[in-house]
């Protein structure tokens, strides 16, 4: 603290403007008002990723959900239907099971596994690094399977063009209200495992309504990767978005 | 926990700024957390205490101010303040509010010990 002027006092420190002679060697307190965005570095990297993907004409789709909602199954189902129209690639970030990348590789798709260690979300730098390991010139549609977690991925823009939240009918229809932050960057919302609707008490209208409260322009889908019901409109959505990207 | 990544970024930016200003010591760090980030202040506090180890922030306590959501209602046009992340107008119940603030996380300020400039006045 500055003994001469007592400027360590918080009130004075806030408006530290005074004139007096100071001895060299003396020190005093001052408050530096900064308001630096802690997500700025991630947001800058995300913008770079988006531009880079755009140059390659790649539509990137970030999938976010709890573990076991059906992210990997949805990627498999989309690939099975679109493989003659779009070349699919995958960045795997979910470590809930380490078999995901192998499931994708078994389909003959280019895949890069991010080893997130103990972190709870992917960030734009991890996606940038992963892009170096993929044959971008032979990918049209890139899925990024995020870490199975309904909270943390919502804060981190990855630079994908589409960000989707998935919720399975077995998870309960109250999840949207409980996890609103995950919808921050979302453009679409999928209710998955709709083939199980007859066996569970799940009011599909409720989470869809609540999701639109959070995000007025959210596209919503209800589908099953298993029975393929509802897949058609989701596939059309992806095709239209990809066409718009390269138009 | 994403609080860990955020605490690391907070420490990184605070250290950079303290060094840039030739601070002799960092007395305190203040962060601002928007309600719409879903960041839990207690978890950020705990993560900070681990992340600052071995840095110039070891003696600097963290103060966290929680910033409410500010949003504009598309129907009644009012600017509203929300303390939970459900974006519903408290006056007319309209949906799809436009978020104006409270969705970010910031290094708000640093309290630094700095040397007086030799014999001169300062501002
Ligand atoms: N009945 C049914 N089960 C599904 C569906 N999609 C995924 N599953 C099952 O749910 C489990 C988790 O799926 P997975 O795709 O690995 O979820 P992820 O952790 O989100 O990638 C697996 O046992 C899948 O077989 C579906 O549409 N219907
Ligand atoms: Mg998976
Ligand atoms: Zn002074
Ligand atoms: Zn690069
Ligand atoms: Zn987290
Ligand atoms: Zn209103």
């Amino acid at each position: 603290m500055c003994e001469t002027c007592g400027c360590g006092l918080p009130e004075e420190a806030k408006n530290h403007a005074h004139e007096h002679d100071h001895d060299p060697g003396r020190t005093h307190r001052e408050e530096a008002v900064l308001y630096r965005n802690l997500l700025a570095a991630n947001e800058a990297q995300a913008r770079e990723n988006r531009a880079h993907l755009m140059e390659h004409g790649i539509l990137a789709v970030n999938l976010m959900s709890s573990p076991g909602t059906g992210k990997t199954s949805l990627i498999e189902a989309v690939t099975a239907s679109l493989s003659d129209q779009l070349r699919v690639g995958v960045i795997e970030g979910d470590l809930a099971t380490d078999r995901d990348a192998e499931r994708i590789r078994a389909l003959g798709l280019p895949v890069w596994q991010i080893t997130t260690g103990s972190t709870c979300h992917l960030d734009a730098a991890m996606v940038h690094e992963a892009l170096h390991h993929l044959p971008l010139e032979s990918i049209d549609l890139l899925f990024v399977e995020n870490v199975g977690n309904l909270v943390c991925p919502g804060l981190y823009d990855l630079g994908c063009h589409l960000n989707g939240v998935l919720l399975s009918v077995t998870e309960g229809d109250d999840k949207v209200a409980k996890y609103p932050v995950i919808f921050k960057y979302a453009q679409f919302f999928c209710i998955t495992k709709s083939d199980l609707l007859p066996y569970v008490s799940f009011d599909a209208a409720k989470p869809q309504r609540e999701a639109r409260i959070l995000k007025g322009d959210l596209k919503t889908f209800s589908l099953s990767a298993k029975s393929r019901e509802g897949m058609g409109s989701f596939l059309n959505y992806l095709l239209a978005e990809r066409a718009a990207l390269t138009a | 926990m994403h609080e860990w990544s955020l605490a690391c970024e907070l420490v990184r930016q605070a250290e950079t700024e303290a060094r840039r200003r030739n601070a002799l010591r960092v007395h305190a760090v203040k962060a601002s957390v928007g309600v719409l980030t879903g960041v839990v202040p207690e978890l950020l506090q705990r993560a900070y205490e681990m992340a600052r180890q071995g840095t110039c922030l070891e003696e600097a306590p963290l103060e966290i101010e929680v910033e409410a959501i500010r949003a504009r209602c598309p129907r009644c046009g009012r600017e509203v303040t929300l303390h939970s992340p459900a974006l519903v107008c408290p006056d007319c119940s309209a949906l799809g509010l436009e978020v104006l603030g409270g969705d970010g996380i910031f290094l708000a300020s640093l309290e630094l010990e700095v040397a007086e400039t030799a014999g001169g006045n300062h501002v």
Side-chain angles (χ1 to χ4, degrees):
Chain A
M1 180 191 304
C2 172
E3 289 92 337
T4 322
C5 61
C7 57
L9 299 171
E11 275 320 298
E12 209 196 306
K14 279 195 180 106
N15 247 323
H16 190 89
H18 51 232
E19 291 203 352
H20 59 165
D21 289 330
H22 286 111
D23 297 336
R26 293 252 191 180
T27 67
H28 73 280
R29 266 184 206 225
E30 68 180 33
E31 187 181 42
V33 177
L34 300 166
Y35 278 90
R36 295 279 156 76
N37 179 1
L38 296 184
L39 293 166
N42 187 72
E43 283 160 13
Q45 182 63 63
R47 279 194 296 276
E48 219 172 89
N49 291 353
R50 202 171 283 119
H52 191 189
L53 289 159
M54 197 86 114
E55 271 171 38
H56 288 272
I58 297 174
L59 179 75
V61 182
N62 172 25
L63 298 180
M64 300 177 285
S65 79
S66 305
T69 297
K71 297 182 292 300
T72 312
S73 304
L74 184 63
I75 295 169
E76 290 168 330
V78 167
T79 303
S81 304
L82 290 186
S83 58
D84 53 342
Q85 294 169 74
L86 294 178
R87 297 165 300 169
V88 178
V90 179
I91 295 175
E92 264 305 331
D94 194 1
L95 286 181
T97 71
D98 53 4
R99 294 177 51 244
D100 285 359
E102 278 176 22
R103 279 165 65 183
I104 303 297
R105 210 170 282 121
L107 300 174
L109 303 184
V111 54
W112 180 256
Q113 172 80 56
I114 294 177
T115 43
T116 47
S118 61
T119 190
C120 46
H121 58 266
L122 299 185
D123 65 28
M126 293 175 189
V127 169
H128 168 227
E129 164 69 17
L131 292 178
H132 285 207
H133 298 279
L134 287 167
L136 300 184
E137 53 301 326
S138 43
I139 295 174
D140 306 311
L141 172 60
L142 177 68
F143 282 107
V144 180
E145 180 171 343
N146 216 312
V147 180
N149 181 326
L150 267 184
V151 182
C152 316
L155 269 191
Y156 292 85
D157 187 1
L158 302 181
C160 290
H161 305 98
L162 297 179
N163 302 279
V165 179
L166 280 60
L167 175 71
S168 64
V169 302
T170 53
E171 286 171 74
D173 54 20
D174 59 345
K175 289 294 181 294
V176 172
K178 284 186 182 163
Y179 299 97
V181 175
I182 197 82
F183 289 90
K184 182 172 176 193
Y185 290 108
Q187 286 79 32
F188 71 87
F189 176 44
C190 280
I191 290 174
T192 64
K193 308 192 190 181
S194 63
D195 59 296
L196 299 178
L197 268 173
Y199 312 103
V200 293
S201 135
F202 184 93
D203 173 9
K206 180 179 164 183
Q208 294 196 5
R209 188 178 60 242
E210 289 174 349
R212 275 192 300 264
I213 291 175
L214 295 167
K215 245 4 233 298
D217 51 358
L218 201 69
K219 293 259 185 306
T220 62
F221 303 92
S222 173
L223 52 82
S224 164
K226 194 174 180 191
S227 73
R228 304 284 162 117
E229 68 173 304
M231 281 296 296
S233 56
F234 185 61
L235 296 171
N236 287 337
Y237 171 63
L238 293 178
L239 287 169
E241 289 288 335
R242 151 79 196 176
L245 188 75
T246 52
Chain B
M1 285 295 119
H2 54 322
E3 282 82 2
W4 172 249
S5 327
L6 292 168
C8 293
E9 183 64 14
L10 178 68
V11 166
R12 196 184 66 77
Q13 290 206 22
E15 271 197 297
T16 306
E17 196 58 33
R19 215 171 296 128
R20 201 178 69 76
R21 291 169 185 255
N22 296 316
L24 303 166
R25 217 183 125 184
V26 183
H27 290 291
V29 178
K30 201 183 277 179
S32 166
V33 171
V35 168
L36 199 51
T37 63
V39 169
V40 182
E42 295 75 39
L43 296 180
L44 182 63
Q45 184 67 251
R46 226 178 299 157
Y48 170 78
E49 271 151 34
M50 293 199 284
R52 70 175 169 173
Q53 281 173 26
T55 75
C56 64
L57 306 178
E58 269 182 341
E59 311 272 281
L62 172 66
E63 187 188 323
I64 300 171
E65 56 185 27
V66 174
E67 192 194 349
I69 299 167
R70 282 188 305 109
R72 186 175 294 116
C73 174
R75 192 194 293 161
C76 70
R78 288 186 56 175
E79 200 174 308
V80 298
T81 302
L82 305 167
H83 299 277
S84 85
L87 297 177
V88 186
C89 177
D91 294 324
C92 75
S93 304
L95 316 178
L97 305 195
E98 179 197 354
V99 176
L100 306 172
D103 60 343
I105 171 157
F106 302 91
L107 164 58
S109 65
L110 290 175
E111 205 172 312
L112 304 172
E113 191 75 22
V114 293
E116 304 288 0
T117 43
N121 298 331
H122 66 173
V123 180

